[in-house]
Amino acid sequence: MGLRMKDCEEKIKVNGVQEVKKRWQVNGKGEINGKAAPNGQLQGEREARGKPLGDSSPLPVYSWEEIKKHNLHTDQWLVIHRKVYNVTKWADKHPGGSRVISHYAGEDATDVFLAMHLDQAVVQKYLKPLLIGQLAPEEPSQEKNKNAQLVEDFRTLRKTVEDLNLLEPSLPFFFLHLIQILFLEALVWFILRSFGNGWLITMFISFLLTISQAQASFLQHDTGHLSIFKKSKWNHLMHNFVMGHLKGMSAKWWNYRHFQHHAKPNIYPKDPDIDVGPLFVLGESQPIKYGKKKIKYIDYEKQHLYFYVVGLPLLMPVYFNMQSIQVTFLRKEWKELAWISSFYIRYFITYRSYYGIIGTVLLIYLVKMLESPWIALVTQMSHIPMRMSTEENQDWFSTQVLATCNVKQSFFNDWFSGHLNFQIEHHLFPIMPRHNYYKVAPLVRALCAKHGIAYVNKPMLKAFGDIVRSLKKSGDIWVNAYYYT
């Protein structure tokens, strides 16, 4: 069937500049506005309609009812651009880990696919052998429970983002960020060389190294999301350097964990960031589950208090470091181990003459302990206070916006949070360079307003306080379920 299209002008004000973007659509004759469409553009339109390309033999057709049955670990189908793929055998080879694939088994994965992959052409090479069919013509492009208009509006927004080049990185921006990190480390060495290693000097350099480590955490986050270079391989190399050499942790471990979080944020138990039992119970589902089963590893009624003693100082030096090392050895990631080792070798070469072996180890973990509250507060302020649920198979836009919130923009907030104060925009467009978040934010707010979805934007101190208030609320839910059901 032909696609009826009209051309229309959409005025968008970005960074003080009003731009006019024309939307063109393709008719049933493969023409755009009466003219022949470019091959790549026409191909994209045909793919969206589910027609096979370059193959005279028709593809098998499937209904959503059939596709939804293939959501098991041993039987996984995905739908991308109306094409059906059997990823069962390939899931274990997925660079982001098999779990992130399984989280979308039996579902439409078009938007998460576009959001998480930098080079679509390269990924298509891996998808082609997995193609087994397409959606039946009478089937909608996404599951029937999803808001088709919202899905369409978000894909229009994504096209606008691409048209405005908001996915294009600024190398000078990230180069200056890296220089900041390296300068602080060089300054520490210069201070020790010039003034010795007294207690006051040690505390001062620990403060400087904490800033360096926290900013390196934000930079590795950029590289892990392929946001710095146009080629994935350069992003991966930079990720290994920053995460491994500058921070002493595994880049692949971070990928396996973090990509699951992005795929299904605040969805229990698919998001590993909220599946933190037995230490904490978050949201409503987990406290009720633990309460009804009479699970009481700790008195969860007081979790908002021991969060300060356990959660803040130990997240980085204990929990994350242990997980990183565990995944590295279990998966036999020896290249990862080499990168991690280079961090410790560098520290021992730099600081052993001032602090000795034991003193250097203590310095490393002092800095990690000081960094930990910084990273814990920044990463949790946008998620723990927000809605948590079990799997509801919502559309991509709703899934991301309802599980995240923003913190008000300022120069300090941007720097202190590594631009993760724009958590909503980051979750909608994970590969977008962070220096462009503020440009797309007005468009996201407008789409939220159109569909009646709350766009939460709060002061930073309130966001920090909301973490503790949310923990207390979840603890109270556990108490009611444990003692009164």
Side-chain angles (χ1 to χ4, degrees):
M1 72 185 208
L3 294 179
R4 295 184 175 275
M5 304 283 322
K6 61 180 180 179
D7 67 6
C8 62
E9 292 183 345
E10 180 183 1
K11 295 183 179 179
I12 302 165
K13 194 172 184 180
V14 177
N15 197 20
V17 179
Q18 185 162 286
E19 300 199 12
V20 178
K21 293 293 173 184
K22 290 192 175 182
R23 294 280 177 261
W24 305 98
Q25 297 188 354
V26 182
N27 62 24
K29 299 178 181 179
E31 298 176 341
I32 296 179
N33 209 30
K35 298 180 180 180
N39 290 335
Q41 189 169 348
L42 181 56
Q43 176 171 315
E45 292 292 336
R46 285 178 177 169
E47 284 185 333
R49 292 153 59 189
K51 292 186 177 180
L53 302 174
D55 186 357
S56 57
S57 59
L59 290 171
V61 296
Y62 299 99
S63 67
W64 277 113
E65 184 179 359
E66 171 65 22
I67 292 166
K68 289 178 181 179
K69 297 176 183 178
H70 301 271
N71 62 350
L72 306 175
H73 179 71
T74 55
D75 183 16
Q76 301 179 45
W77 289 10
L78 299 177
V79 176
I80 301 174
H81 291 309
R82 297 188 61 87
K83 298 293 181 62
V84 182
Y85 299 90
N86 186 341
V87 297
T88 307
K89 296 181 179 179
W90 184 80
D92 288 336
K93 303 175 185 178
H94 183 239
S98 61
R99 288 187 179 180
V100 71
I101 293 286
S102 66
H103 289 347
Y104 272 87
E107 299 179 16
D108 175 46
T110 302
D111 290 315
V112 66
F113 172 80
L114 292 172
M116 303 296 286
H117 296 99
L118 179 63
D119 194 334
Q120 299 292 324
V122 171
V123 180
Q124 287 293 337
K125 295 180 181 179
Y126 292 95
L127 280 179
K128 189 175 181 180
L130 309 176
L131 180 64
I132 61 170
Q134 61 185 342
L135 285 172
E138 67 276 8
E139 291 285 346
S141 295
Q142 59 281 320
E143 298 92 319
K144 296 175 183 178
N145 63 289
K146 293 180 179 177
N147 184 335
Q149 185 59 55
L150 178 54
V151 172
E152 181 181 347
D153 286 348
F154 174 69
R155 291 177 184 174
T156 300
L157 172 59
R158 180 177 178 83
K159 182 65 168 61
T160 300
V161 164
E162 294 171 351
D163 289 345
L164 296 176
N165 295 321
L166 297 184
L167 300 180
E168 293 294 317
S170 169
L171 288 180
F173 173 89
F174 292 108
F175 177 74
L176 289 174
H177 191 91
L178 177 61
I179 290 298
Q180 170 196 203
I181 296 165
L182 299 179
F183 171 77
L184 287 171
E185 296 218 1
L187 180 60
V188 167
W189 175 83
F190 175 79
I191 290 172
L192 283 174
R193 184 178 176 86
S194 301
F195 302 102
N197 61 344
W199 280 105
L200 289 177
I201 294 297
T202 299
M203 294 309 298
F204 182 61
I205 67 161
S206 297
F207 171 73
L208 295 179
L209 287 173
T210 298
I211 296 175
S212 176
Q213 282 292 294
Q215 293 300 319
S217 289
F218 300 137
L219 185 61
Q220 75 81 21
H221 181 263
D222 296 319
T223 58
H225 277 294
L226 313 177
S227 298
I228 297 182
F229 300 103
K230 294 182 179 180
K231 293 293 184 181
S232 295
K233 64 178 180 180
W234 293 111
N235 283 296
H236 291 313
L237 179 60
M238 187 69 171
H239 194 202
N240 281 320
F241 171 75
V242 179
M243 190 62 160
H245 184 67
L246 295 185
K247 293 197 61 64
M249 300 174 73
S250 167
K252 286 191 175 182
W253 158 78
W254 184 89
N255 285 341
Y256 297 148
R257 180 187 178 91
H258 196 67
F259 291 165
Q260 289 184 71
H261 162 69
H262 268 270
K264 296 288 184 177
N266 279 18
I267 295 176
Y268 178 76
K270 293 183 177 181
D271 181 357
D273 285 4
I274 66 168
D275 188 11
V276 290
L279 195 56
F280 295 97
V281 289
L282 305 178
E284 296 182 3
S285 299
Q286 191 178 16
I288 291 174
K289 172 185 174 182
Y290 273 46
K292 287 185 175 180
K293 292 186 175 181
K294 308 304 178 185
I295 298 175
K296 186 181 180 181
Y297 295 105
I298 303 174
D299 187 355
Y300 298 114
E301 187 179 11
K302 295 182 175 61
Q303 65 177 5
H304 63 292
L305 299 177
Y306 65 73
F307 171 73
Y308 292 102
V309 181
V310 178
L312 289 181
L314 300 184
L315 177 70
M316 294 295 290
V318 178
Y319 184 62
F320 278 177
N321 269 277
M322 287 178 61
Q323 276 204 342
S324 171
I325 295 298
Q326 180 185 31
V327 169
T328 300
F329 276 99
L330 289 179
R331 293 178 176 267
K332 299 181 180 179
E333 300 285 359
W334 307 129
K335 289 183 180 179
E336 296 286 304
L337 184 61
W339 279 109
I340 294 171
S341 300
S342 72
F343 165 82
Y344 290 96
I345 292 171
R346 175 171 59 86
Y347 258 69
F348 282 120
I349 291 174
T350 306
Y351 300 110
R352 180 183 175 185
S353 60
Y354 299 103
Y355 296 105
I357 295 177
I358 295 177
T360 301
V361 172
L362 292 176
L363 176 66
I364 291 172
Y365 282 93
L366 172 62
V367 170
K368 288 182 178 292
M369 189 172 292
L370 292 174
E371 177 201 8
S372 189
W374 186 343
I375 299 303
L377 289 172
V378 166
T379 56
Q380 301 310 309
M381 67 183 181
S382 300
H383 291 296
I384 286 183
M386 301 305 292
R387 179 177 182 272
M388 296 184 187
S389 66
T390 53
E391 180 60 75
E392 296 176 344
N393 189 19
Q394 290 186 305
D395 60 273
W396 173 259
F397 186 84
S398 299
T399 297
Q400 304 305 320
V401 175
L402 293 175
T404 55
C405 71
N406 281 8
V407 166
K408 292 186 180 297
Q409 182 189 18
S410 70
F411 178 82
F412 175 79
N413 286 358
D414 292 354
W415 174 83
F416 185 82
S417 67
H419 287 86
L420 291 180
N421 51 326
F422 288 94
Q423 194 73 217
I424 294 174
E425 287 71 27
H426 168 59
H427 263 257
L428 289 173
F429 307 99
I431 63 174
M432 178 182 288
R434 58 164 134 146
H435 51 74
N436 286 334
Y437 292 159
Y438 77 97
K439 298 179 181 179
V440 74
L443 305 180
V444 174
R445 283 198 300 269
L447 186 53
C448 285
K450 177 180 178 180
H451 289 274
I453 299 175
Y455 182 97
V456 181
N457 190 21
K458 62 181 73 170
M460 182 172 283
L461 291 181
K462 183 181 186 304
F464 290 165
D466 283 348
I467 297 174
V468 179
R469 285 184 281 270
S470 297
L471 288 171
K472 186 178 187 309
K473 180 181 178 181
S474 296
D476 291 341
I477 293 173
W478 172 82
V479 168
N480 290 330
Y482 187 87
Y483 290 105
Y484 304 113
T485 59

